[in-house]
Every structure is written in C-alpha cells, then in structure tokens.
Amino acid sequence: MSDVPARFLRACRREPTDCTPVWLMRQAGRFLPEYRALRARHGFLELCKTPPLAAEVTLLPIRRFAVDAAILFADILLILEPMGVGLEFAKGDGPVIHRPVRTRADVERLARVPASVALPFVLEAIHLVRAELGDRVPLIGFAGAPFTLASYLIEGRGSRHYVHTKTLMYREPQAWHALMERLVEATVDYVRAQVAAGVEAVQLFDSWVGCLGPDDYRTYVLPHMRAALGAIVQTGVPVIHFGTGTGALLELMRAAGGDVIGLDWRVDLAEAWGRLGADVGVQGNLDPVALFAPPDEIHRQVARILERAGGRRGHIFNLGHGVLPETPVAHVAALIDAVHELSAR
Ligand code: CP3
C-alpha cells in the first residue's frame, strides 16, 4: 500500500504507477448521506466557513472509499464574496450574485482583498485536513478559472446561453479584459495561499468555457488562462486544467497550460490525448450518469476507458464532470475498486 499516496501525484507528473489513480469531482458533497445530515444542521456557506466542518466533509469520501486523492470542501464562488458582489446560495436556486458585474464601472468597483485576509477559513481547513491525512492521501486544492468565474459574476447565476457574458465580451472588450485580469490576479493569489497552506495539487475548474467557439476562446480567454496557469505552475505543485464541452478547444486549452487536462465524456479519451500530445497527462472521463447503471455496466465502461488510455503514464481516472447528488453510494465504491483492479500492472 506504500504506493497509494504517491499514485495520484506520480500520475500528475506522468511517472509510472502500480495502477491508475482515481478520485471524483464533487466527491465531498451531496451524494453522501453523512453530508446531507450535516447540511440539515448547517448552511452551505456556514460549512465552508467553519474549518473543522469543511475538513470533516473533505474527509468523508476518504473514510468510505479507496480514492487516491482528497479534494478540499469549498466552492469556486467563495472568492467572489469578498469582492463585494453579494454571494448567496439560495435554497433550490443554486448560487446567486446579488450585484452582477455588467459595466466597466462595475469592474472597477470590485474590492481587492488578499486571500489570506478574505478566505482564512479555507486555509485553516487545509491545515486541519493535512494534519489528519499526513502523507496517506494527497490533498487537491482548487479555484474557478477566470471565464467560469466571470460568467457567474456577469450573469448573476448559472446560465444556459451566457447572453450577458458574451455581450460584455463583444460589446466592451476592454471591460471584459479588465475583469479577466482582476480574476487572474485574485485566483493566482488564492491558489498560492492554498499551496502555502499545504495543498499538493491544484485543479482549475473552467466548467462552462465549452460554450465558446475556438476563435472566442483564443481572443477572450487564452491569454488570461496562460497568465493564470503560468503563475500557478511556478508554485511547483501539479495543475489540472479542467473544462466540459471542450471537444473543440482541447489544443487551445493545452496551449494555455497545465500538467493534466480534464476531459468530459463527450470526447474519446484516446483521440483527445492524441490531439493534446504525449507530454501532458489526462483526467477523465466517465459519464457521471453511468454511475446509475448496474455495477457490471460500470465495470464495462471503466474497462473501455482504461483500454482507451492504454496504460500510458499520466492517466488519472475521474468522471467527466461532478458526481450527481442522487448517485448510489455503492456504485461509487464499485467504480473505485473497478479502476484499481482492472488497471493493476
Ligand atoms: O469536489 C468537491 O467535492 C469539493 C467541493 C466543491 C464544491 N463545489 C462543493 C459544493 C467543488 C470543487 C465545487 C466546484 C464548483 N462550484 C464548480 C465547478 C465544478 C462543476 O461542478 O462544474 C461550480 C460551477 C460551482 C458553483 C456551484 N456551487 C453551483 C452551481 C452550486 C449549486 C449546484 C450544485 O452543484 O450543488 C454550488 C453548491 C455546492 N458546491 C454544493 C457543494 C457540495 C451543494 C451545496 C448544498 O449542499 O446544497
């Protein structure tokens, strides 16, 4: 078992491993009954802002499953609250920004507060998790990527068509770029603070960037992602660059940077890796809905993805997006075990 802590970090660096490491996006959350029990007593932001509780939620999936990494319990939108835009996780509605950013003046009004001052509870939770995990299981920190953060800031909530976001981009490109620069600055500061507090890898979530075509990505996102990832790579921890619906953007995401590129299930893993090149790792890419299928079908799908990865160094098994709230817990256990068994070398 001595290889367990090393497995995930070794795969991030494309070093050989005894089997393929696996963790799940959103593993520290709503699909676990223990989480729902905690949520019955505490608000979501309260959980995030109370380090012993955030640490406890981070550890829940580690206690239940043989996952190869822990991901910190927090949220990509926490960084927006100290900017003064009024963040709320409204019941049933998902996140809401009460004062969305729609103009250059709105961008200028965003407060600049260092992460150590604005989000000390996140850093304290990292200390608590590391004290508990030691070198047994590595801890992944994370942040939202600037485009995905901007989309929430501008829309004020989740969106289908990103009309306000793209309108600002097209109509006021200077305001757009100023906003992206502010978000890069805040994100880099936040990730540096997480690394200093003890996270051993970082994932940048550009969950919604797949709504852009390649030309817009190149013009409005790529320079900012390059700046953010370039600075984050300097911290020395491996960086996973994740997005969904990015089949048309993979080469550009690769050009933006990251040690590992996250893939969703809409792309064939072997084909995507071929396009990205052998000098980068890949993470993915089981459809989260496959976890609702019977375990023998989960087995088949795991085997198919492992076959596509071909035992090459640098594959981290994950879902193509977060685990869904209604997912059967036993199926998650079956998935984790199947990955380890079927990939044992
Ligand atoms: O991965 C983990 O388990 C760690 C914790 C984590 C959360 N959010 C906890 C959470 C992580 C990594 C995130 C990232 C996140 N948050 C993303 C990027 C990943 C993705 O899914 O695309 C985004 C877009 C958000 C924004 C966000 N936070 C939304 C849209 C929502 C509401 C809908 C939902 O997914 O639950 C949240 C709330 C949230 N973040 C919950 C959790 C456990 C549920 C809150 C609750 O208990 O009601």
Side-chain angles (χ1 to χ4, degrees):
M1 292 299 276
S2 63
D3 229 18
V4 172
R7 204 181 273 152
F8 166 77
L9 293 172
R10 288 178 64 86
C12 287
R13 299 189 210 98
R14 281 175 287 110
E15 293 166 3
T17 53
D18 61 335
C19 66
T20 302
V22 54
W23 67 281
L24 304 187
M25 290 180 278
R26 300 315 218 37
Q27 69 187 21
R30 292 189 299 187
F31 87 106
L32 287 174
E34 309 90 292
Y35 174 79
R36 289 196 299 271
L38 274 170
R39 272 287 278 121
R41 290 189 280 126
H42 306 278
F44 175 65
L45 278 177
E46 182 191 351
L47 284 181
C48 292
K49 292 180 180 182
T50 312
L53 293 176
E56 174 59 20
V57 177
T58 302
L59 295 167
L60 292 176
I62 309 304
R63 301 216 172 97
R64 263 190 191 259
F65 311 111
V67 283
D68 293 295
I71 182 156
L72 183 69
F73 178 77
D75 195 85
I76 64 165
L77 303 181
L78 294 180
I79 196 176
L80 303 180
E81 192 176 41
M83 294 181 182
V85 292
L87 170 69
E88 187 190 343
F89 286 86
K91 252 202 175 68
D93 273 358
V96 179
I97 300 288
H98 289 296
R99 292 176 292 283
V101 170
R102 300 274 165 89
T103 65
R104 179 79 199 228
D106 293 339
V107 175
E108 301 303 335
R109 220 174 288 126
L110 294 172
R112 271 192 178 87
V113 190
S116 57
V117 176
L119 303 160
F121 45 86
V122 173
L123 309 177
E124 180 54 24
I126 293 169
H127 286 292
L128 294 176
V129 172
R130 282 302 311 276
E132 178 89 18
L133 287 179
D135 289 329
R136 281 189 300 131
V137 181
L139 176 63
I140 305 171
F142 68 90
F147 176 85
T148 292
L149 292 177
S151 77
Y152 281 101
L153 267 184
I154 297 167
E155 304 291 336
R157 55 185 64 241
S159 178
R160 253 169 81 80
H161 299 294
Y162 303 92
V163 172
H164 295 291
T165 306
K166 293 183 183 184
T167 300
L168 184 73
M169 226 166 70
Y170 297 139
R171 198 180 278 167
E172 287 196 71
Q174 284 183 330
W176 170 262
H177 288 296
L179 175 60
M180 291 293 273
E181 281 168 21
R182 290 294 294 276
L183 291 170
V184 169
E185 189 188 315
T187 300
V188 168
D189 170 61
Y190 182 38
V191 169
R192 281 188 182 135
Q194 290 184 37
V195 173
V199 304
E200 294 154 284
V202 169
Q203 177 157 320
L204 271 202
F205 284 91
D206 214 350
S207 303
W208 310 135
V209 78
C211 73
L212 296 178
D215 282 335
D216 284 345
Y217 186 93
R218 196 180 285 110
T219 306
Y220 298 106
V221 176
L222 179 59
H224 304 291
M225 280 304 273
R226 199 174 254 149
L229 290 162
I232 292 169
V233 162
Q234 295 293 313
T235 63
V237 305
V239 184
I240 305 166
H241 178 181
F242 168 79
T244 71
T246 53
L249 303 177
L250 291 176
E251 290 84 356
L252 294 168
M253 287 174 67
R254 168 81 187 103
D259 301 286
V260 177
I261 305 291
L263 303 174
D264 79 7
W265 62 94
R266 299 170 185 92
V267 295
D268 176 89
L269 187 141
E271 195 185 304
W273 206 347
R275 285 166 57 196
L276 291 165
D279 56 344
V280 70
V282 298
Q283 178 173 276
N285 67 341
L286 183 71
D287 186 335
V289 178
L291 285 175
F292 292 81
D296 60 329
E297 174 63 16
I298 295 173
H299 245 254
R300 258 195 301 281
Q301 296 215 19
V302 168
R304 178 183 51 81
I305 289 169
L306 290 172
E307 180 269 312
R308 301 310 284 155
R312 282 183 291 272
R313 294 172 187 184
H315 178 217
I316 296 159
F317 201 105
N318 205 315
L319 304 177
H321 202 171
V323 60
L324 294 165
E326 303 80 11
T327 303
V329 174
H331 292 194
V332 171
L335 167 72
I336 306 293
D337 293 342
V339 173
H340 288 152
E341 278 165 36
L342 297 173
S343 67
R345 303 188 237 283

